Amino acid sequence: MNKLLKLSLTFGACAAILCGCTQSNIVTPSGGLVEGNVTPDMETKENIQINWEEVREVLRDEFIQPYGTYGDYVMDLSIGWDNDADALILRLPVTGNPSGDIAVSYAQDVLKACGDEIAVQDFSYTGSEEEGTYYGSYFDTHDVTVQVFPYNSEDDESTYIVNDTMKAGEQRALTALK
């Protein structure tokens, strides 16, 4: 019985101590007044800087898989903004000898995923369509160059399988060189 009494007193003391720690300054501020803007900003922001490193990592996670759809060909991918060309550059080195149809299919899938990820970062853009050649509304206002080439031959454009520049608003199928 003595242990039960000690346990009860210990529990009661802990409860009393914890009750003093539960005042919320969020619900009832210490001064009684809420400071700052109390309404959330729900407006869509414009001119958001796209984080190309994050887009690249998302694309890598999706496409660089040994057992994925293009696992027999995919080696790496690079994406970034080229200030000189004022365009997005998407470079897709591949292994083996994929046909032009496979290279185009791969490039278009990567381009759609890119448009979707851009729409995630900037809500003013919409993503791609499941079917068709709509890559997302980002490409309605920005040029993109897509290059698919054998690994380690980036400097030799004669080996490129796809080297296609799509002007803003075109939203068309990419074309293979071979």
Side-chain angles (χ1 to χ4, degrees):
M1 185 75 167
N2 203 9
K3 284 187 174 182
L4 184 60
L5 182 62
K6 285 183 183 179
L7 186 60
S8 296
L9 286 175
T10 304
F11 179 70
C14 288
I17 290 171
L18 289 175
C19 286
C21 297
T22 59
Q23 177 168 351
S24 171
N25 286 334
I26 296 171
V27 177
T28 54
S30 57
L33 298 173
V34 177
E35 296 177 14
N37 188 2
V38 294
T39 58
D41 182 8
M42 301 298 280
E43 296 296 317
T44 302
K45 302 291 184 212
E46 293 188 19
N47 299 322
I48 292 177
Q49 292 293 329
I50 302 298
N51 182 341
W52 295 114
E53 288 295 316
E54 186 175 323
V55 172
R56 182 178 58 89
E57 289 306 313
V58 168
L59 294 176
R60 280 183 167 184
D61 288 347
E62 185 172 341
F63 289 99
I64 300 179
Q65 300 174 12
Y67 303 108
T69 305
Y70 305 103
D72 292 340
Y73 307 104
V74 177
M75 282 296 292
D76 197 3
L77 60 85
S78 171
I79 185 170
W81 186 260
D82 185 351
N83 287 327
D84 295 335
D86 197 30
L88 182 66
I89 307 295
L90 184 60
R91 292 184 179 96
L92 307 169
V94 294
T95 62
N97 192 15
S99 68
D101 291 341
I102 291 173
V104 165
S105 176
Y106 169 52
Q108 289 181 166
D109 286 352
V110 172
L111 200 54
K112 285 181 180 186
C114 180
D116 292 342
E117 181 57 27
I118 291 169
V120 167
Q121 288 190 26
D122 187 343
F123 295 142
S124 65
Y125 295 113
T126 58
S128 66
E129 295 175 352
E130 287 289 321
E131 298 295 324
T133 58
Y134 187 74
Y135 306 107
S137 65
Y138 181 83
F139 301 109
D140 287 338
T141 55
H142 296 86
D143 296 350
V144 62
T145 297
V146 180
Q147 299 172 330
V148 180
F149 50 88
Y151 194 73
N152 288 333
S153 68
E154 183 176 358
D155 296 332
D156 185 6
E157 288 190 20
S158 68
T159 63
Y160 281 26
I161 304 165
V162 175
N163 189 7
D164 198 352
T165 299
M166 189 171 56
K167 296 294 183 188
E170 283 186 347
Q171 300 280 348
R172 61 174 171 75
L174 298 173
T175 56
L177 297 174
K178 297 179 179 183

